[in-house]
Amino acid sequence: MNRRQLIKHGAWFGAAVALAVAGGEVVSRVVDADAPDPFPKDATLRFVQVSDSHIGFTGPANTDVAGSFHRAVKQVNALKHRPDFVLHSGDLTHLATPAQFDHVKQMTSELKAGRVVFVPGEHDSIDDAGQKYRAAFGKGTVGDGWYSFDLQGVHFIGLVNTLNLKKLGHLGEDQIAWVQRDIAGLHSDTPIVVFSHIPLFALYPAWGWGTDDAARVLQMLARFSSVTCLNGHIHQLFTKTEGNVTFHSATTTAYPLPKPGQGPAPAPVTLPAGKLQDALGIREVGYVRGRAGLAVRDQKLA
Amino acid sequence: MDAASGARAAGLAAGGALILFAAVACGGGGGKAAPAASPMGGMKMPSSSAAQAPPAAGPNEVSIGGFAFGPAKLTVKRGTTVTWTNRDEDPHTVTASATGGPRSPALVAGASFRFTFTKPGTFTYICTIHPFMHGTVVVTP
């Protein structure tokens, strides 16, 4: 990146930025607006991640979270390629009420995709250990709502790390044992994609942004050549590579949270007028057979 | 009945795309944290709903503020009813890890929850939404 590009990058609102992750380093550069769309056109599989819709939230940080999520749904439906599925990575609702779950169900039913899969956030399992969540969205899951499926040679695992919390996210013995059984028969060349709401790495433990027993699952996944972990919870983009694993935190469709440790608590941030939309977004993920790793593209809310 | 729940609460613009290719083939990643250039990169934070935990209003009251229980440790006699009130904009819960302790629903801004401690012991609790928030009630005979 030369100096001019760096300056352009510094004022990147409205600019296109490409990030390349290689060996744990993230390199960003400004993309020529006339350049062809670099998202892999030859993808064998495409899906979309949306996260943290917080339906039911009322506050100055976003006075219309339902409207924002509806725009995200329309944005997904307007993609050039119909996604094989859409993942909602948790905090569907703000207070886990039946009416809020119904609202989410109704809105996600409008998504034009092969299917819609979910993992719960702590806001979806506030006072009933996730019972209402599983009643609404847990069909086909086992245990406390975890599941796996295969698509185009990729193995997807949906984890629940918002129950029995002590400080951080938590998976628990039953779920860890289930993962061990689930992956036992897989060839090490199988690309693995793991969904969870709370990050599986220690992003900022003081605010609970980590999972206390995730290392045991990551250890089991060490033999696989490509592991991608997708999470929500922190309402901002963040990426990190550790060995064979790349973690991608998604942004939200509702409201931003502070950067780790900025401010006294992870409380909703009210942005200046007109800036909220830039902090919200959706994510496309593509897999090209034979290529290590997945292509990830984050878009601001249209 | 141990609990007296008094909760009042009962188009793809190319110009806006962020593109990221994850190439994880190089095995020795090194584990370096690398924050992505995010839309929040230039974000200012003019306001936040977090506040300092205000002092509790009465002897058997716990104020929830600034994502903390205040006081974090409360000692009461058996039979005492404790009231928690949420002063934050964010919802919180009062959820004991052990059975027989308080388990509130989500307390929205301004909502209160009451619980009567009928057995002596030490009850630790968290907010299930923000489990880094910890509190303790010690109940003496």
Side-chain angles (χ1 to χ4, degrees):
Chain A
M1 188 188 293
N2 64 33
R3 188 169 171 275
R4 185 173 148 270
Q5 285 171 324
L6 190 67
I7 290 164
K8 278 173 78 181
H9 179 225
W12 92 274
F13 278 112
V17 174
L19 294 180
V21 182
E25 299 283 348
V26 175
V27 182
S28 62
R29 62 186 174 83
V30 176
V31 175
D32 183 353
D34 299 327
D37 182 355
F39 199 67
K41 287 184 164 55
D42 53 346
T44 41
L45 180 143
R46 289 184 181 83
F47 64 96
V48 166
Q49 181 183 8
V50 295
S51 201
D52 294 86
S53 48
H54 285 267
I55 296 304
F57 172 85
T58 54
N62 186 343
T63 54
D64 184 16
V65 289
S68 296
F69 190 58
H70 184 66
R71 281 161 63 189
V73 170
K74 286 204 304 192
Q75 193 169 349
V76 173
N77 290 346
L79 291 173
K80 285 178 186 170
H81 299 278
R82 183 176 187 263
D84 293 292
F85 67 90
V86 174
L87 160 70
H88 191 313
S89 51
D91 284 356
L92 289 56
T93 70
H94 197 56
L95 295 171
T97 66
Q100 290 171 5
F101 282 122
D102 282 351
H103 197 178
V104 172
K105 198 156 204 174
Q106 180 256 318
M107 283 195 285
T108 53
S109 71
E110 293 166 12
L111 282 163
K112 291 175 185 160
R115 63 192 285 201
V116 186
V117 298
F118 302 86
V119 291
E122 72 287 345
H123 280 264
D124 303 315
S125 47
I126 289 176
D127 56 1
D128 67 348
Q131 288 178 43
K132 287 191 295 289
Y133 164 80
R134 287 191 296 279
F137 297 99
K139 194 181 173 193
T141 67
V142 293
D144 288 329
W146 49 84
Y147 57 88
S148 69
F149 61 93
D150 294 278
L151 209 56
Q152 299 289 340
V154 179
H155 189 70
F156 294 90
I157 302 172
L159 298 180
V160 177
N161 62 351
T162 60
L163 305 178
N164 304 308
L165 306 182
K166 290 189 172 68
K167 179 186 176 188
L168 302 169
H170 182 70
L171 296 165
E173 292 300 328
D174 291 353
Q175 187 167 208
I176 291 170
W178 171 81
V179 172
Q180 189 161 27
R181 293 193 301 274
D182 181 68
I183 62 173
L186 296 176
H187 194 278
S188 297
D189 287 343
T190 309
I192 306 287
V193 180
V194 183
F195 311 143
S196 66
H197 176 66
I198 298 173
L200 295 179
F201 63 103
L203 200 155
Y204 195 68
W207 286 354
W209 293 0
T211 300
D212 55 19
D213 50 2
R216 292 173 58 195
V217 164
L218 296 173
Q219 225 163 21
M220 288 182 219
L221 296 173
R223 72 178 173 90
F224 292 93
S225 52
S226 166
V227 180
T228 306
C229 297
L230 304 175
N231 64 271
H233 189 56
I234 67 164
H235 294 215
Q236 57 199 291
L237 301 176
F238 190 94
T239 211
K240 169 189 169 109
T241 299
E242 269 185 20
N244 64 327
V245 185
T246 300
F247 304 91
H248 296 289
S249 294
T251 191
T252 164
T253 67
Y255 53 81
L257 288 175
K259 286 184 172 182
Q262 283 192 2
V269 172
T270 303
L271 294 173
K275 294 291 186 195
L276 172 62
Q277 198 171 323
D278 294 334
L280 313 180
I282 67 166
R283 162 179 289 168
E284 290 174 273
V285 186
Y287 169 66
V288 182
R289 196 183 301 279
R291 187 182 296 177
L294 276 71
V296 173
R297 171 161 66 182
D298 290 288
Q299 296 182 35
K300 290 194 265 185
L301 194 65
Chain B
M1 184 67 189
D2 282 353
S5 168
R8 290 206 304 270
L12 196 134
L18 189 88
I19 297 139
L20 198 144
F21 285 94
V24 293
C26 318
K32 191 185 289 182
S38 78
M40 280 70 80
M43 181 173 80
K44 292 188 179 67
M45 288 190 291
S47 74
S48 161
S49 65
Q52 289 299 308
N60 299 319
E61 296 186 11
V62 178
S63 202
I64 311 172
F67 288 63
F69 297 106
K73 186 173 181 180
L74 183 67
T75 301
V76 299
K77 284 195 166 174
R78 178 182 182 170
T80 301
T81 298
V82 176
T83 303
W84 287 263
T85 302
N86 181 16
R87 311 284 184 199
D88 275 344
E89 284 180 30
D90 255 31
H92 295 296
T93 75
V94 175
T95 308
S97 47
T99 53
R103 299 185 83 87
S104 81
L107 304 176
V108 297
S112 292
F113 172 74
R114 290 196 299 277
F115 183 83
T116 303
F117 289 88
T118 58
K119 288 174 184 167
T122 299
F123 296 87
T124 59
Y125 62 91
I126 62 163
C127 164
T128 61
I129 307 170
H130 311 99
F132 55 91
M133 295 168 58
H134 290 226
T136 304
V137 177
V138 177
V139 183
T140 58

